Amino acid sequence: MMMRTGRLVGKVMLGLAGSLVAFSVQTANAEDWPSIVEAKQIAEEGYVYGLPIVMNYAIMYDYAVDRDSDQFKAPFNEIKNEARVYTYKDTTIISPNSDTPYSVASLDLRAEPVVLSVPAVDKRYYSVQLVDGNTYNFGYIGSRATGSDAGDYMIAGPDWSGETPEGIKKVFRASTQFSLAIYRTQLFGPDDMPNVEKVQAGYKVQTLSAYAGEPAPAAAPAVDFPKVDKELVKTNFFEYLDFALQFAPASSAETEIRAKLAKIGVGPGKSFQFKDMPLEHRLEVALGMRDGDEKVKAYLADKLYKANGWSISDLWGDAAFIDGDWIKRAAGASAGIYGNDAAEAVYILGRNLANGDLLDGSKQSYTLTFPAGELPPVEAFWSITMYDGKTQLLIENPINRYLINSPMLPELKKNTDGSLTLYIQKDTPGADKESNWLPAPDGPIYLAMRMYWPKTGKPSVLPVGQGTWQPPALETAK
């Protein structure tokens, strides 16, 4: 759920601050720009506003544009099915789940809508999460949202005004001209993969004209996508934001921040060039970005719901859910871009013991015990996934186990009182406990407890922060 690109975005501030001294010649008149104080404030607010947009662009570039990328999935408007779960080798998105084989379709909605067709999927959880370039979850298809029947669903861009053909069950409207469909198909175990592949074979992506059997409209203009790679640390965050915004018509909630960004040359119809700013403005812009980054980190530290040392997040949703709260949106991207709405999945994040001590596999072994009858209450399934605390990526380990989830319950050993104890440590807890071992890194630990399709009623983790069920505390191993 951030990414290799997230690490690059984090490095942008370092790259900017370290390279500013190279610009000794002012290429613009200071009077043409806002004051340095205002420029710094705009950069801070713009960074918070733009972080998810830039992160999403970097993923789109890896997934659908750069065919030489080892993370490339498929061209626009084609689907890529992964007949496997994610491992430590998958580095584009940070904190990925390793429960559900992914299918991915990057959508170009400029010329016409796209139709997503799904097969009947019975007795198996699946979801299709629709995310636009603003990182809003603008719709869902799947077990919870639309049921188990087969169906055809149309995804339209912000400017589309055509007719909906017969056979379309629902139309979803993206706020940007490029979008992403993320499919998650439940896997019950390694032997179940052929069955998942059969479901995936029923996922279909096609343009509206192809679906309707009509001539295709004129193709949208070719796009010269700016390259995203490690050189990003030597360039400028706002150049990527400037590029992405041309495909994202402003909503009423964005009027103020878009007007501010325009003052420093960022926005549709503009062409931001960091090098064209007066030197003193460049310095302040870099400082403003740094301050914006610190604000996002502080938000994540202070604003999430706390329970027994865990942080329960409710950071992802549609445009109405975000409602112009840009720091909330940026925090969601930083915690794990493309997180689900709470109704679809609740994410419970662990970096600490109940007393606040940081989890560290190089210093300590831990246990997590669910009392009898108090496993996470879900309609679909739950999982606990281990990540490296520094990178938020899956870790290589001797038993190739990245998580423990509810489909594994028949193989897990329960205690005599019916409780379930998981062993979270870098070294094996011993042959008698290895079935319940979740290998940890030799360093900082980041855990994500996922509850897919959380139950309502009692007990429930919903509403987030007020639910009657809470995760048990992690404890140091005795």
Side-chain angles (χ1 to χ4, degrees):
M1 283 167 335
M2 220 171 78
M3 53 184 182
R4 176 175 59 189
T5 306
R7 301 204 302 277
L8 290 178
V9 169
K11 292 177 182 178
V12 165
M13 274 72 69
L14 297 176
L16 283 172
S19 63
L20 287 174
V21 294
F23 297 98
S24 59
V25 179
Q26 295 189 15
T27 56
N29 296 321
E31 61 265 24
D32 296 331
W33 296 88
S35 70
I36 58 174
V37 173
E38 185 179 7
K40 180 176 182 292
Q41 182 62 34
I42 292 172
E44 180 181 314
E45 294 181 30
Y47 177 83
V48 171
Y49 165 77
L51 179 61
I53 298 170
V54 173
M55 291 172 63
N56 172 79
Y57 172 73
I59 293 173
M60 182 182 76
Y61 187 87
D62 256 3
Y63 277 9
V65 178
D66 184 7
R67 293 174 181 267
D68 294 327
S69 169
D70 59 0
Q71 305 297 320
F72 181 78
K73 303 301 181 186
F76 287 108
N77 300 338
E78 296 183 20
I79 191 169
K80 169 65 174 179
N81 293 311
E82 302 279 7
R84 62 180 183 85
V85 294
Y86 275 27
T87 72
Y88 69 93
K89 295 180 180 179
D90 295 283
T91 59
T92 290
I93 296 179
I94 68 162
S95 311
N97 92 44
S98 191
D99 297 281
T100 58
Y102 282 104
S103 302
V104 175
S106 297
L107 309 178
D108 180 351
L109 306 173
R110 293 175 299 154
E112 61 177 316
V114 171
V115 176
L116 307 185
S117 301
V118 296
V121 184
D122 193 25
K123 298 180 181 180
R124 180 187 305 272
Y125 170 82
Y126 88 101
S127 72
V128 185
Q129 177 189 7
L130 305 174
V131 192
D132 60 30
N134 288 314
T135 68
Y136 298 142
N137 296 333
F138 64 93
Y140 280 91
I141 303 164
S143 305
R144 177 196 63 84
T146 58
S148 59
D149 293 340
D152 301 326
Y153 301 86
M154 190 164 75
I155 317 302
D159 303 323
W160 182 75
S161 58
E163 297 293 325
T164 301
E166 291 186 10
I168 296 294
K169 283 194 169 185
K170 187 173 181 178
V171 176
F172 296 95
R173 178 80 67 163
S175 69
T176 60
Q177 293 171 330
F178 291 97
S179 182
L180 180 65
I182 304 172
Y183 301 65
R184 297 172 174 90
T185 309
Q186 185 176 8
L187 176 72
F188 294 111
D191 295 340
D192 187 43
M193 188 61 76
N195 298 317
V196 168
E197 291 181 63
K198 290 178 183 178
V199 174
Q200 290 178 327
Y203 297 145
K204 189 174 182 180
V205 177
Q206 55 189 325
T207 61
L208 178 60
S209 57
Y211 174 83
E214 298 177 350
V223 178
D224 184 14
F225 293 100
K227 183 178 181 180
V228 175
D229 59 21
K230 61 185 178 182
E231 292 301 308
L232 180 63
V233 303
K234 299 177 182 177
T235 58
N236 191 286
F237 173 90
F238 285 111
E239 293 179 19
Y240 288 97
L241 178 59
D242 182 53
F243 175 83
L245 289 181
Q246 68 181 295
F247 305 108
S251 67
S252 58
E254 295 172 283
T255 301
E256 182 179 355
I257 185 62
R258 291 286 191 101
K260 290 180 178 180
L261 286 167
K263 290 184 177 182
I264 61 170
V266 175
K270 300 185 180 298
S271 182
F272 180 88
Q273 291 291 322
F274 186 76
K275 62 181 176 59
D276 290 342
M277 297 185 78
L279 177 59
E280 63 270 24
H281 283 71
R282 293 181 224 143
L283 291 165
E284 293 302 318
V285 165
L287 292 173
M289 292 172 65
R290 180 203 62 189
D291 290 349
D293 189 55
E294 290 302 318
K295 281 194 173 182
V296 173
K297 291 177 181 176
Y299 186 100
L300 284 171
D302 299 335
K303 298 294 185 180
L304 300 187
Y305 301 104
K306 307 295 183 182
N308 297 324
W310 297 85
S311 296
I312 307 179
S313 56
D314 188 14
L315 300 172
W316 305 275
D318 60 13
F321 174 82
I322 297 299
D323 193 26
D325 190 345
W326 310 130
I327 195 164
K328 181 177 184 177
R329 184 177 68 168
S334 295
I337 196 168
Y338 307 147
N340 281 290
D341 293 11
E344 193 71 40
V346 169
Y347 302 93
I348 302 175
L349 311 176
R351 292 185 183 272
N352 307 86
L353 294 172
N355 66 3
D357 288 351
L358 288 170
L359 304 175
D360 192 320
S362 68
K363 300 177 180 178
Q364 186 65 57
S365 297
Y366 306 93
T367 60
L368 178 65
T369 299
F370 294 96
E374 296 184 26
L375 292 171
V378 292
E379 297 288 353
F381 67 98
W382 58 265
S383 69
I384 301 172
T385 307
M386 175 66 68
Y387 303 98
D388 179 273
K390 295 178 180 178
T391 65
Q392 292 180 225
L393 296 175
L394 299 166
I395 63 164
E396 187 174 8
N397 64 83
I399 58 173
N400 295 319
R401 179 181 295 165
Y402 308 102
L403 57 82
I404 289 178
N405 61 18
S406 50
M408 297 168 62
L409 283 171
E411 288 78 48
L412 302 179
K413 293 182 180 179
K414 289 190 174 181
N415 302 315
T416 55
D417 63 357
S419 62
L420 175 68
T421 297
L422 307 182
Y423 301 93
I424 298 169
Q425 55 194 73
K426 66 181 180 66
D427 299 316
T428 177
D432 60 327
K433 299 176 179 177
E434 199 162 278
S435 63
N436 296 24
W437 176 33
L438 182 56
D442 188 15
I445 287 172
Y446 179 57
L447 289 168
M449 184 184 303
R450 291 174 168 88
M451 297 174 62
Y452 287 94
W453 194 354
K455 286 186 176 181
T456 56
K458 293 184 179 181
S460 176
V461 73
L462 300 175
V464 172
Q466 305 170 48
T468 54
W469 183 89
Q470 293 186 341
L474 287 150
E475 298 180 349
T476 55
K478 298 182 174 69

